[in-house]
Amino acid sequence: MDTAIVDTTLLTFADGSPGVVEEGAVGIEDDELAYVGPAADLDPGDAAEVIDGDGLVTMPGLVDAHVHSKHTLLRGGAQDVPEIEWMNRALGPLSAAATPEDRVAGARLGVLEATLAGATTVGEYADHVGDLVESVYRPFGTRVVAIETINEVREDRSDLGPRDLYEFDRERGEAALTRANALFDDHGDDPLVTPMYGPQALDMISPELLERVHEAAREREALVHMHVAQGEREAIQIEERYGAEETTVSALDDLGVLGPDLLAAHCHGTTPEERARMVEAGASMVGCPSSIGAIDGIVPPMAHFSDLGGTVGLGTDQAPGPGHHDMFRETRTAAILSKTDATDPTAMPAWEALSLATVGGARALGIEDRVGTLEVGKQADVITVDTTAPAVAPTVDRPFHTVVPNLVHSATGREVRDVFVAGERVVADREFLPADAGAIVAEARERATDLFDRAADDWRAAGSELVDHADAGRL
Amino acid sequence: MDTAIVDTTLLTFADGSPGVVEEGAVGIEDDELAYVGPAADLDPGDAAEVIDGDGLVTMPGLVDAHVHSKHTLLRGGAQDVPEIEWMNRALGPLSAAATPEDRVAGARLGVLEATLAGATTVGEYADHVGDLVESVYRPFGTRVVAIETINEVREDRSDLGPRDLYEFDRERGEAALTRANALFDDHGDDPLVTPMYGPQALDMISPELLERVHEAAREREALVHMHVAQGEREAIQIEERYGAEETTVSALDDLGVLGPDLLAAHCHGTTPEERARMVEAGASMVGCPSSIGAIDGIVPPMAHFSDLGGTVGLGTDQAPGPGHHDMFRETRTAAILSKTDATDPTAMPAWEALSLATVGGARALGIEDRVGTLEVGKQADVITVDTTAPAVAPTVDRPFHTVVPNLVHSATGREVRDVFVAGERVVADREFLPADAGAIVAEARERATDLFDRAADDWRAAGSELVDHADAGRL
């Protein structure tokens, strides 16, 4: 045995709920969990390393199921603006100034902070996602679901009226599909990389190309991860293209895409009936409450989708708007926003939120056979969390365990002590091992300063409300 | 000069908005700010200590305007239950088992974590609050607004029907008023202690005693801090006692209490018209969005009250439910809940949220002449925050400053590096100086284990939904 964590409190999530085991232990051999159970029944004698788990919770690594990490360089660049401004007038001018190197520097920072806060799997949604796999995920040893964005619409659409149909650039779409297919050749054998198709949204792709993407996904037994029902602009395009009675969900259903190989992000424009249809069809969803709350002022329907029996994962989306990549924070945000959205403090209880962040995300990404729970034979994606830190302490075991509510409602993310991915330790006693964290931050600071400077004129010309706020000294 | 913080980014809040000063400096002499301005104009030559502020933001200490810190020992004990169960069936049986020593141990942990996350003033709302002042606040050197709870209703009301009027125990109320008055004799000369009257809520106090409390407050030029319009149970009592047409706000208005010396907590049961009346009358409010969101599933009307021109502070209330005492988290929660409540991502922008947590709280507590902004002559309640930490980094200064949105939307609270209260350094490089933080946590763990154990039978007998969840293995 390579590593044993002993005398620890386990949260296994083996049956979907936390499944607290007091005085538990975990044994890691190579990339797998070799033991999960009572400490008394494990002889760690031959383990190369034994971690004393007193005061620690040991649990599955968190699954951040929907992330655009390149934007971490643009943190603070786009929030507190009307939703209609967010993409085109606030984030857009900054994002357009990013070089490929900036994207990598941003992704490094984003994955660093996600890992320090306990994420072991990231669902990375990007164009040219293979570049990020090579430059960030493989060097860091983070498990990645690599989702290639497939989008046929040109970036600059400022000349179009609100009901003008987007024109599709088939060449752009074909190139993206080719890149997506190549991921399976390039990374098909890498146990830490799971490729996935990312047709961005139904208004951004032609039905013809979507059908080909769907076919390619079925051939490779891969999932299709799509932003679904994101709001008014998308709804107008769908009406214009598919007919006045159609919505994203009904059109996806007609196209045969609404099924078990669809992972739908956000879904805040769906009706309750549409969500029931999605669950019936076997589609999954990922909710990003920090992002959709901050950018749209809307609560994603995670609680309803989950109540219907659907599979739900959580994601941190991107830094501008919601802030940063911390899955503990995301569980807490999912909980409190679901409660206020339903005016019901029992909505999205702590154990459910934490289960979405672990086994829920693993199921949503189609990798639950390997990760998401602590079970013998699964991949050793494991974290320890210090329950003696202020904010989480004290935790008690009788008459009930307070550790789960404390992790969800109280943790800052900085209580994570150790992170293992496939048995490799990437965080030890809060220190990130695969790279120099200080250098990652320093490069991000330097590149962000240059980038914002290069983008300054375009940002000002785009004229979002942030320009006025800056001029008034509020920013 | 005792301390100079140089080459730092300042947020002064001197005119209510952040007022970013790049390459700024702060000079501290005794308990006061002796310099606030450009670093170039300060000669720190004679300062006993010079802090290099590169990469740091220097700003006013945060004001946590409404806290019941004793309950920190009960963290994780009451959440995810119906509001009607929270007090009587979930928290109550645990709280009833707390000894005076348990209360102090809980308060120590709560104030420790609040301080580590940048709070320099705590509005402590407790019965026998003087004990906490002596045992926690004075030894820690934390500025405290000490609010004595005045309540005439017996704790156990389980025999009453929903429309039965509470009986008032005048003796209980008189004893509390006597304790409140004594605070002014005992601590009137302590610059770190500001006494305040805390008639708990209009359903918990007779109109006769409330009038006497109000008179005592006016005599001493002190504020009256009251929970206002907390929900259905209170509303029924007010109707039964004051008449079917009356609400808490209308009754307070009739009693002459609705004025500039009223600080109203929560206010989630007020109507928009009532809030306009409150602002017109000069009353202030404190919003605890994490608490009311988690316990009631309701968003306090902070944004509306502020839009009306009213004074608003923020508070972390108590650990069970919302989780912990971190004012940076509270600014972010205020922002995202206000956005989703209004379906408007421009509601409660970052600069407004941070201003509520500083100058807003100082105004609400009536101590804005001394704290809440960085201005020469004010008390040196100052914090530094590391902007090179992942989650907050990178920050840029052009074309606008991203530091304010990053602090609100992204900070974990663990980026706070230094905390000064009245010129005394209580946190240095993230270390709490006045006491052994490890010992505080260890005592809390031990006492919490014993307390929950003592309370176990009563907790089970009270039969909240948590009992079922625990039995089902979810907790």
Side-chain angles (χ1 to χ4, degrees), chain A residues 261-300:
Chain A
D261 41 15
L262 177 68
L263 172 56
H266 306 329
C267 303
H268 48 283
T270 57
T271 64
E273 295 72 27
E274 288 180 330
R275 296 195 281 275
R277 171 69 193 119
M278 292 171 77
V279 170
E280 182 193 31
S284 301
M285 82 162 275
V286 54
C288 304
S290 294
S291 178
I292 303 305
I295 296 169
D296 300 82
I298 297 176
V299 179

Side-chain angles (χ1 to χ4, degrees), chain A residues 57-69:
Chain A
V57 160
T58 301
M59 59 180 289
L62 304 178
V63 178
D64 195 344
H66 185 83
V67 174
H68 310 282
S69 68

Side-chain angles (χ1 to χ4, degrees), chain B residues 262-353:
Chain B
L262 177 68
L263 172 55
H266 307 329
C267 304
H268 48 285
T270 57
T271 65
E273 295 72 28
E274 287 180 330
R275 296 194 282 275
R277 171 70 194 119
M278 292 172 77
V279 170
E280 182 194 31
S284 302
M285 83 162 274
V286 53
C288 304
S290 293
S291 178
I292 303 305
I295 296 169
D296 299 83
I298 297 177
V299 179
M302 306 155 292
H304 184 230
F305 206 93
S306 179
D307 287 348
L308 289 166
T311 294
V312 180
L314 299 179
T316 57
D317 218 355
Q318 72 291 306
H324 79 283
H325 301 288
D326 170 355
M327 280 296 291
F328 278 108
R329 191 174 81 147
E330 210 59 35
T331 64
R332 191 242 174 185
T333 307
I336 198 161
L337 288 189
S338 296
K339 291 174 193 308
T340 55
D341 194 46
T343 319
D344 178 2
T346 71
M348 189 64 75
W351 51 91
E352 182 179 357

